[in-house]
Amino acid sequence: MSLVLKSLEDGILTLTIHRPEALNALNRSVIDALSAALEAAQDNDDVRVIVLTGAGEKAFVAGADIKEFADFDQAKGEDLARRGQRDLFDRVEQSRKPVVAAVNGFALGGGLELAMAAHVRIASSNARMGLPEVSLGVIPGYGGTQRLAQIVGKGKAMEMVLTGGMIDAEASLACGLVNQVVDPELLLETAHVMAGKIAKNAPTALAAALDSVLAGYSRDGFDVEIQRFGQCFTTHDFKEGTTAFLEKRKPQFPGS
Ligand code: DAK
């Protein structure tokens, strides 16, 4: 079965990341499939708004696929962060069609970074969000250090990035990380209502509005994030963090 399911109804294209056996973790194939679907949507006049969600009730996306990046070196990490940002995360944020993320469970690491690249976020009440990268010996590499601070402010972003902890849906709503929280069974319907409200408006004005809002935010930090992310791949902490995850044990960092 395809890694990204597509359904188009009333101008709303729903893209469902479909890799439930790995909690929809983003491997290279998922990133490529999602990127292609977003690209195709830009040229399809029948698509007015895009809704992005994950298959199943447990996870939106539980992060980048740890099994895939565990043996990367600095050059590979930096290169993939750069390509991932450009091919998927920037493509979501810079989409001319508004993107609504329907966050249906865990949105961790690259999963939360994907939701944050969307323009509006609606979460189910069972959603849990966080950037656990530092517990793996890396930092968020798909724009998370930048977009989280842009969305929730520097103080809360520092807390979330440095602790690597998760927050629940209500806490996400309180800090502005998500726009709305609803019961799981109402999530897609609510996302479609939001998408429908947006879709009633002029497409050219929507594209201009997206462009204008985004123009107010600096892009300077994204390159720093990519470089610092790549450097993490040279460290013993990264080896220990990813190995511990794969061995299903707690990592032993110096002094921990
Ligand atoms: N990658 C690969 N497999 C994953 C995964 C992930 N991120 N998350 C879950 N899975 C897999 C589990 O290994 C397990 O597979 P099996 O053992 O059954 O084969 C299956 O999904 C079900 O997961 P659990 O058994 O762990 O389910 P639980 O309910 O017990 O726990 C959980 C749910 C979400 C709390 C737990 O699965 C978890 O902690 N997952 C990992 C969360 C996490 O640390 N995510 C990664 C954050 S770091 C990069 C750019 C950016 C990034 C990386 C590279 N490059 C450019 C190279 C970003 C990195 C991140 O996202």
Side-chain angles (χ1 to χ4, degrees):
M1 181 174 281
S2 171
L3 290 169
V4 175
L5 310 180
K6 304 173 196 97
S7 100
L8 177 60
E9 211 181 320
D10 299 331
I12 301 167
L13 174 67
T14 304
L15 298 177
T16 305
I17 300 163
H18 188 265
R19 208 186 158 217
E21 72 284 0
L23 303 186
N24 303 320
L26 298 175
N27 61 14
R28 192 67 229 172
S29 305
V30 173
I31 289 178
D32 287 347
L34 201 48
S35 172
L38 284 158
E39 184 69 358
Q42 302 305 306
D43 298 325
N44 184 347
D45 290 341
D46 294 336
V47 176
R48 307 289 302 277
V49 180
I50 298 163
V51 170
L52 200 52
T53 194
E57 285 177 9
K58 196 167 169 185
F60 172 70
V61 170
D65 190 317
I66 299 170
K67 290 164 193 159
E68 197 174 68
F69 70 77
D71 63 350
F72 281 4
D73 59 15
Q74 177 174 356
K76 223 168 167 183
E78 203 173 307
D79 178 56
L80 275 182
R82 199 175 297 284
R83 283 203 283 136
Q85 286 200 14
R86 186 194 60 206
D87 294 349
L88 179 58
F89 295 77
D90 290 353
R91 190 160 277 175
V92 172
E93 188 170 60
Q94 289 162 16
S95 166
R96 296 188 303 280
K97 320 282 173 99
V99 181
V100 176
V103 182
N104 55 309
F106 289 110
L108 301 175
L112 179 55
E113 291 175 296
L114 185 63
M116 290 193 295
H119 306 118
V120 176
R121 281 158 292 284
I122 299 177
S124 58
S125 51
N126 66 334
R128 311 252 294 151
M129 282 164 249
L131 294 176
E133 281 86 344
V134 291
S135 70
L136 295 165
V138 284
I139 63 169
Y142 283 140
T145 63
Q146 305 304 299
R147 293 193 180 99
L148 185 59
Q150 290 171 358
I151 295 169
V152 303
K154 189 165 81 170
K156 186 68 186 174
M158 285 290 191
E159 179 193 326
M160 288 182 67
V161 171
L162 298 178
T163 63
M166 289 186 217
I167 59 174
D168 64 18
E170 285 306 324
S172 304
L173 183 64
C175 71
L177 183 52
V178 300
N179 300 71
Q180 204 177 336
V181 174
V182 295
D183 287 340
E185 62 275 17
L186 297 178
L187 179 65
L188 268 188
E189 183 187 328
T190 308
H192 283 149
V193 169
M194 173 73 78
K197 281 186 194 165
I198 296 171
K200 286 198 180 81
N201 298 313
T204 48
L206 289 174
L210 288 172
D211 210 26
S212 300
V213 173
L214 293 172
Y217 293 90
S218 163
R219 297 281 313 167
D220 295 349
F222 285 83
D223 273 339
V224 175
E225 184 189 270
I226 288 167
Q227 282 161 20
R228 302 294 289 148
F229 178 83
Q231 286 163 6
C232 291
F233 284 76
T234 64
T235 65
H236 175 73
D237 284 349
F238 166 71
K239 280 275 164 284
E240 169 59 11
T242 48
T243 306
F245 176 83
L246 297 176
E247 292 175 355
K248 298 187 188 282
R249 63 171 172 82
K250 284 202 183 320
Q252 297 292 315
F253 297 125
S256 67

